[in-house]
């Protein structure tokens, strides 16, 4: 055992990932083990603590997701650079099996034959062997199979480039790992997310990262040594795109300080937004009178590099306001910025004063009222609304009337101990006929009501519209929770006439929730904008079922910003008294 064999957390994560992939190939009950190793790889790769300390202090098994078996492999990897499990598995398979098994139709046994006959260990080698006509000579393959193999490889490459979008939450985790690794490079000052991740889209195709560095080529080389990379998809001197073991695609653009702002703007997109900026820039350049005017103030030549230090400079140079990344979709933001009427007070995380929509152990939450309240207080909140499920949501432990009474007593007790104001709320089901759960007399006693649909999603559009309209017209003030019931990548929004519902809400005692649960992110930005036009108010909620989920706030705020929401349009930016008055049901 020598010291220099010790692996860092990324190399350990890569080894665990490799174990997972090989176990997955074995199939059967090894699939379950595979999942444990994969989860372990994610935990290790994302660790903020020094892994060496954790190993040496024997604390691995105290980390969630790491059991004894996993801990022993991590320890071996850290101390010796090797893992007995990985060594054993590698003996069972030919080299390159993980990459090659990604080619559809190529079974483990075929890969073994190819390896024995031609020493093939990668897709690239397979491709050139097939192109050279070497495969057809192998027993069981033939010319037809060879041709088909080439076709499959080409399609596979193409698909790998376009398919599979990562959920935003996962993309953020992976991007954090990569950026964490990149920060270890020398001469690198800024590492910024770009692309759809920076625009907070619900799903991300390629995780785009732009780095500000004096040594662009060296940084690309450093990145290519990131242990979790399994395939380099594109490589240039100052940029590259790779695929990570988990399947994520990551692209890095490595820019010199003078080019960083422009690179960041271009990489952030969207394409439509950037194209329109190009158009404006070239129109501008072709206008002689504009040229003269600009030269006076800034001097066009030098403005290209040294003066455009920030994205803000670039937008200003084009004669418009700065456009925040969340708005860069070419949906009117450029025109508004040119006219100078883009809102400059879009809501921010810092504006939020209260956590809205929190569940506790009274329904399906993990933590108690006190735990949720203290966690919200620790995050600087002035108030928190406890909104457990109502009785109709029996599967989620909906709170019956007698337990509701007990919950209110407990809120009073906890309130004595904490500063944050705890508001009595409910997430009341909108039942099939559009009425709210709990009798009116009870509803009026809440401080806040979130009204949501949790069942019967498949009603036809007319019925669903009527159901929601009926609910919104109830005389109590309520917040329409996770409006259209979508679950990202799992369930589409339900059918209804959103425009007419918004018309009704504009005339009713109701507000709309922007739900920060990363799987919901509902309602979506285009509808937020449609509601804004009608002067409807919003809350940004966390829909938290644990203290950790209070961090959903950032997602809710991002969605709100994508919907162009200003601080003054969001009720939970108000202080406690004003908020309580604004949402009081009766
Ligand atoms: Zn709900
Ligand atoms: Zn909820």
């Amino acid at each position: 055992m020598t010291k220099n064999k010790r692996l860092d957390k990324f190399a350990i994560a890569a080894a665990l990932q490799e174990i997972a992939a090989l176990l997955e190939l074995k199939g059967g009950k090894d699939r379950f083990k595979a999942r444990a190793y994969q989860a372990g790889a994610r935990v290790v790769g994302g660790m903020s603590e020094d892994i060496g300390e954790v190993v040496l202090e024997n604390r691995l098994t105290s980390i969630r997701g790491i059991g004894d078996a996993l801990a022993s492999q991590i320890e071996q990897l850290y101390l010796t650079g090797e893992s007995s499990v990985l060594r054993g598995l590698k003996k069972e398979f030919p080299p390159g099996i993980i990459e090659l098994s990604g080619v559809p139709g190529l079974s483990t046994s075929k890969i073994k034959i190819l390896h024995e006959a031609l020493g093939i260990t990668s897709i690239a080698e397979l491709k050139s062997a097939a192109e050279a006509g070497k495969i057809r000579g192998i027993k069981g393959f033939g010319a037809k199979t060879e041709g088909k193999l080439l076709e499959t490889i080409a399609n596979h490459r193409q698909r790998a480039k376009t398919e599979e979008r990562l959920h935003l939450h996962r993309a953020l985790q992976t991007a954090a790992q990569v950026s964490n690794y990149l920060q270890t490079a020398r001469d690198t000052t800024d590492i910024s997310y770009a692309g759809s991740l920076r625009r907070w889209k619900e799903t991300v195709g390629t995780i785009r990262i732009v780095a500000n560095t004096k040594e662009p080529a060296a940084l690309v080389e450093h990145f290519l040594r990131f242990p979790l990379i399994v395939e380099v998809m594109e490589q240039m001197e100052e940029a590259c795109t790779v695929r990570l073991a988990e399947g994520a695609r990551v692209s890095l653009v490595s820019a010199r300080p003078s080019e960083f702002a422009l690179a960041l703007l271009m990489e952030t997109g969207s394409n439509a937004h950037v194209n329109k900026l190009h158009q404006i820039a070239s129109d501008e350049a072709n206008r002689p009178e504009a040229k003269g005017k600009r030269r006076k103030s800034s001097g066009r030549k030098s403005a290209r590099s040294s003066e455009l230090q920030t994205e803000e400079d670039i937008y200003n140079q084009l004669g418009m306001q700065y456009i925040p990344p969340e708005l860069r979709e070419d949906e009117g933001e450029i025109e508004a910025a040119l006219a100078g009427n883009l809102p400059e007070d879009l809501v921010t995380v810092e504006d939020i004063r209260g956590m809205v929509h929190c569940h506790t152990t009274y329904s399906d939450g993990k933590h108690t009222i006190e735990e949720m309240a203290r966690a919200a207080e620790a995050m600087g909140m002035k108030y928190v609304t406890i909104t457990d499920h109502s009785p109709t949501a029996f599967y989620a432990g909906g709170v019956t009337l007698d337990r509701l009474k007990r919950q209110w007593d407990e809120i009073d007790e906890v309130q004595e101990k904490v500063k944050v104001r705890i508001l009595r709320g409910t997430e009341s089901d909108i039942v099939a006929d559009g009425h709210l759960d709990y009798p009116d007399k009870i509803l009026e006693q809440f401080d806040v009501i979130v009204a949501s649909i949790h069942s019967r999603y498949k009603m036809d559009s007319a019925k669903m519209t009527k159901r929601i309209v009926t609910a919104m017209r109830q005389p109590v003030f309520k917040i329409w929770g996770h409006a259209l019931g979508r679950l990202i990548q799992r369930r589409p929004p339900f059918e209804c006439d959103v425009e007419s519902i918004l018309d009704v809400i504009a005339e009713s005692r109701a507000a709309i929730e922007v739900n920060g649960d990363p799987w919901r992110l509902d309602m979506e930005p285009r509808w937020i904008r449609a509601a804004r036009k009608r002067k409807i108010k919003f809350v940004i909620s966390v829909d938290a079922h644990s203290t950790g989920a209070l961090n959903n706030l950032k997602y809710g705020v991002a969605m709100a910003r994508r919907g162009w929401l200003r601080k003054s349009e969001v009720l939970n930016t108000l202080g406690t008294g004003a908020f309580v008055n604004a949402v009081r049901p009766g």
Side-chain angles (χ1 to χ4, degrees):
M1 183 183 93
T2 56
K3 205 177 170 211
N4 59 12
K5 267 194 183 166
R6 287 186 177 178
L7 299 185
D8 68 9
K9 63 174 179 180
F10 297 115
I12 294 173
L16 297 178
Q17 191 78 53
E18 200 176 349
I19 294 174
L22 293 172
L23 286 169
E24 186 72 43
L25 279 176
K26 284 186 78 168
K29 65 179 190 323
D30 285 314
R31 287 232 165 95
F32 293 102
K33 280 200 226 162
R35 249 163 263 163
Y37 274 95
Q38 184 148 39
R42 223 173 287 141
V43 171
V44 170
M47 242 162 105
S48 51
E49 255 187 299
D50 178 46
I51 185 126
E53 264 172 42
V54 180
V55 169
L56 298 175
E57 290 166 13
N58 273 320
R59 286 191 288 117
L60 278 170
T61 48
S62 70
I63 296 170
R64 223 178 112 193
I66 300 184
D68 288 335
L70 210 57
S72 110
Q73 295 309 306
I74 294 171
E75 197 178 307
Q76 281 185 30
L77 283 161
Y78 176 72
L79 296 172
T80 70
E82 283 192 56
S83 141
S84 53
V85 171
L86 183 56
R87 210 181 312 125
L89 282 166
K90 275 184 170 169
K91 274 188 203 145
E92 296 180 41
F93 294 103
I97 181 82
I98 297 175
E99 184 182 328
L100 285 163
S101 65
V103 178
L106 208 54
S107 64
T108 306
S109 56
K110 277 188 188 156
I111 295 170
K112 268 186 188 150
I113 295 170
L114 287 166
H115 178 66
E116 276 156 23
L118 302 167
I120 286 168
T121 62
S122 69
I123 294 178
E125 285 170 11
L126 177 64
K127 187 167 173 258
S128 50
E131 281 165 348
K134 289 181 185 163
I135 307 276
R136 66 184 69 180
I138 302 171
K139 201 179 162 205
F141 280 83
K144 208 171 151 197
T145 317
E146 188 178 74
K148 206 154 181 213
L149 212 47
L150 275 173
E151 208 178 293
T152 313
I153 293 172
N155 290 340
H156 172 63
R157 281 269 149 104
Q158 201 43 46
R159 249 204 328 273
K161 271 186 196 162
T162 52
E163 246 186 20
E164 268 190 75
R165 293 182 68 83
L166 287 181
H167 183 268
L168 172 63
H169 182 62
R170 173 61 68 77
L172 268 179
Q173 284 177 339
T174 304
Q177 269 188 41
V178 173
S179 124
N180 195 296
Y181 170 81
L182 287 174
Q183 253 137 22
T184 60
R186 267 188 293 167
D187 290 327
T188 300
T189 50
D190 286 300
I191 290 161
S192 174
Y193 302 160
S196 44
L197 182 60
R198 186 164 178 237
R199 304 200 314 278
W200 291 85
K201 301 286 278 189
E202 293 86 342
T203 59
V204 174
T206 300
I207 296 172
R208 296 189 183 279
I209 293 180
V210 181
N212 184 348
T213 176
K214 285 184 194 140
E215 300 286 347
L219 184 67
V220 168
E221 273 171 38
H222 174 73
F223 177 51
L224 291 174
R225 288 193 292 272
F226 184 51
L228 287 166
I229 294 173
V230 289
E231 188 186 346
V232 179
M233 300 170 76
E234 249 176 328
Q235 185 180 351
M236 285 164 286
E237 203 183 329
E238 302 185 354
C240 64
T241 305
V242 303
R243 200 163 56 81
L244 301 185
E246 269 187 85
R249 286 185 301 280
V250 182
S251 114
L252 169 70
V253 169
S254 190
R256 285 182 183 76
S258 61
E259 295 155 0
F260 176 67
L262 191 58
L264 184 58
L265 184 94
M266 305 280 284
E267 282 293 294
T268 297
S270 61
N271 284 338
H273 178 89
V274 172
N275 289 343
K276 197 172 261 183
L277 292 184
H278 269 307
Q279 194 58 48
I280 290 168
S282 66
D283 289 354
E284 185 83 344
N286 292 332
R287 252 185 18 194
E289 68 281 7
K291 261 186 199 170
K293 212 170 94 195
R294 290 212 176 274
R295 199 166 279 140
K296 232 185 274 168
S297 57
S298 53
R300 217 169 168 73
K301 227 174 156 190
S302 61
R304 267 198 69 79
S305 53
S306 59
E307 288 192 14
L308 300 180
Q309 293 290 328
T310 65
E311 288 183 315
E312 202 147 11
D313 295 339
I314 299 172
Y315 283 106
N316 293 342
Q317 175 79 14
L318 291 171
M320 63 178 87
Q321 289 170 283
Y322 171 72
I323 301 177
E326 298 93 329
L327 270 51
R328 298 182 193 169
E329 302 294 342
D330 187 23
E331 286 171 354
E333 75 280 5
I334 292 177
E335 291 73 10
L338 280 168
N341 49 30
L342 196 70
E344 286 185 339
D345 54 354
L346 292 182
V347 65
T348 65
V349 169
E350 292 72 31
D351 291 333
I352 303 295
R353 299 275 167 271
M355 287 293 179
V356 176
H357 196 156
C358 299
H359 295 270
T360 71
T361 47
Y362 273 86
S363 64
D364 56 353
K366 264 197 210 131
H367 294 108
T368 62
I369 296 170
E370 180 166 353
E371 286 166 328
M372 294 301 280
R374 287 193 188 279
E377 187 173 300
M379 290 172 80
M381 293 294 138
K382 300 288 176 226
Y383 47 95
V384 53
T385 79
I386 300 298
T387 51
D388 276 305
H389 289 286
S390 64
T392 302
F394 57 91
Y395 49 85
V399 183
T400 51
L401 278 178
D402 55 320
R403 288 178 59 241
L404 187 64
K405 184 81 195 30
R406 234 184 302 150
Q407 183 177 46
W408 289 355
D409 290 341
E410 189 173 327
I411 287 178
D412 290 342
E413 283 162 34
V414 176
Q415 188 65 77
E416 306 268 294
K417 299 189 259 182
V418 297
K419 279 205 205 81
V420 65
R421 171 82 180 273
I422 309 170
L423 300 173
R424 294 170 173 185
T426 176
E427 179 177 13
S428 169
D429 265 50
I430 299 174
V431 299
D433 71 358
H435 283 86
L436 302 183
D437 226 351
Y438 292 124
D440 286 352
K441 252 211 287 202
I442 300 293
L443 286 174
E444 284 160 13
Q445 294 178 53
F446 285 106
D447 294 318
V448 53
I449 299 169
V450 176
S452 312
I453 286 179
H454 290 115
S455 57
R456 319 262 314 255
Y457 291 94
K458 286 186 181 145
M459 285 184 165
D460 66 48
S461 175
K463 269 193 191 151
M464 188 58 102
T465 305
K466 189 162 172 245
R467 177 183 185 185
I468 298 166
V469 162
T470 306
M472 293 304 130
R473 283 194 175 132
Q474 302 288 308
V476 292
F477 187 93
K478 83 293 303 169
I479 297 158
W480 186 17
H482 45 72
L484 299 180
R486 73 164 173 176
L487 291 177
I488 289 163
Q489 294 178 322
R490 294 179 192 165
R491 185 173 69 204
F494 53 64
E495 303 279 334
C496 62
D497 179 352
V498 184
E499 298 274 358
S500 348
I501 296 171
L502 295 180
D503 286 340
V504 169
I505 291 180
E507 303 292 316
S508 315
R509 302 198 63 222
I512 296 175
E513 171 188 80
V514 181
N515 189 298
D517 177 332
W519 290 102
R520 293 190 177 276
L521 304 177
D522 192 0
M523 63 179 16
E524 33 181 321
R526 62 186 172 126
W527 292 129
I528 294 177
R529 293 176 63 186
R532 274 192 78 213
K533 284 196 193 127
R534 295 166 168 86
K535 308 223 179 319
I536 294 169
K537 294 287 185 197
F538 288 83
V539 299
I540 296 175
S541 88
V542 283
D543 201 350
H545 289 74
S546 67
T547 52
L550 295 178
N551 291 309
N552 288 349
L553 187 60
K554 60 174 181 287
Y555 295 111
V557 169
M559 291 304 280
R561 290 171 65 85
R562 286 180 55 197
W564 295 38
L565 274 193
R566 308 166 73 162
K567 179 182 174 184
S568 57
E569 293 165 316
V570 178
L571 294 173
N572 53 327
T573 63
L574 296 170
T576 313
F579 177 79
V580 169
N581 285 334
V583 302
R584 180 174 291 139

